[in-house]
Amino acid sequence: IPLDSPGLGIELLELEGGREDGLGIVIVNDLVPGGNAQRALDEKTAAQETIMYGDSISAAELILRRSGSTAEDQTDLLSARTECLGYDSTVGALGGLLSKLSDEDGGSNIVDATMILTLRRLRRRPQLQVKLYYPPSQDLPPETIKLLPGDNLRMAMLQKGVKLNDPLAQRYDGKPTGSGNCGSGGLCR
């Protein structure tokens, strides 16, 4: 962070919040063109080191290197947790860290400042579409079931009202064919 321009250059958007307890969901809306975050990313080339719309800042660390009275520099590490905070609380926590750059009690001997943001990336789960074809004897048109990855296909079909028990299915328990199901007692869930 340039000491003469201590802002982050990140536009934040509150999705949920405004509560008295300060909790909520705040995401990155955009980067300020020419801001510190944009300049820092322009210097990086790794694809995983990007800040995107929808990212949530879960923690921030400020590393301050101060010139000491001796030949050695002193390093301070300040941190703030911002996960699940509302807009005001998030801005307050980040602003509290950045205010250390201009504190009257030692801000003048800061040589270098680095802000490290820990981001959580929100991703939409893809939706799968499964097309069901009925036997020609039932004379029903194909249907589409929408599922999320990991959903149980059999349960989704039952919820849709699809009759899964074939009266001609072979049973596993030795009972005669034609009783309507395989006899496994629902173990194939």
Side-chain angles (χ1 to χ4, degrees):
I1 297 178
L3 299 178
D4 60 341
S5 175
L8 291 179
I10 298 175
E11 292 178 16
L12 299 175
L13 173 69
E14 183 173 51
L15 295 180
E16 294 289 330
R19 302 170 10 166
E20 291 179 19
D21 59 7
L23 299 179
I25 299 173
V26 176
I27 62 169
V28 172
N29 189 40
D30 201 2
L31 300 181
V32 175
N36 288 330
Q38 183 67 53
R39 283 196 306 240
L41 291 175
D42 289 344
E43 295 172 6
K44 303 283 185 189
T45 57
Q48 72 270 15
E49 294 185 22
T50 61
I51 300 175
M52 297 172 51
Y53 171 80
D55 286 349
S56 176
I57 301 172
S58 61
E61 293 180 344
L62 179 63
I63 302 170
L64 298 175
R65 193 166 53 91
R66 301 176 186 269
S67 61
S69 56
T70 63
E72 293 184 18
D73 288 343
Q74 175 187 355
T75 302
D76 295 333
L77 175 64
L78 307 166
S79 64
R81 187 188 76 71
T82 58
E83 187 169 20
C84 297
L85 295 181
Y87 181 84
D88 292 337
S89 301
T90 299
V91 170
L94 295 173
L97 288 178
L98 293 173
S99 69
K100 302 298 182 189
L101 296 175
S102 60
D103 277 351
E104 295 177 12
D105 63 340
S108 60
N109 65 351
I110 297 174
V111 177
D112 184 44
T114 302
M115 177 74 81
I116 298 173
L117 299 176
T118 302
L119 303 173
R120 292 202 184 260
R121 184 145 298 156
L122 304 177
R123 294 189 179 175
R124 289 186 178 165
R125 289 176 53 186
Q127 201 173 53
L128 307 172
Q129 293 188 7
V130 177
K131 196 162 192 176
L132 301 174
Y133 292 94
Y134 294 98
S137 62
Q138 290 185 352
D139 196 31
L140 293 172
E143 287 188 57
T144 301
I145 295 179
K146 294 180 180 178
L147 301 171
L148 295 174
D151 282 354
N152 186 307
L153 177 61
R154 181 177 187 279
M155 292 304 292
M157 291 171 68
L158 289 172
Q159 289 171 353
K160 185 81 171 170
V162 176
K163 303 270 187 234
L164 295 178
N165 296 331
D166 181 4
L168 301 177
Q170 295 292 319
R171 293 184 60 108
Y172 294 108
D173 58 3
K175 292 188 178 175
T177 299
S179 62
N181 66 32
C182 66
S184 69
L187 292 177
C188 58
R189 285 186 189 208

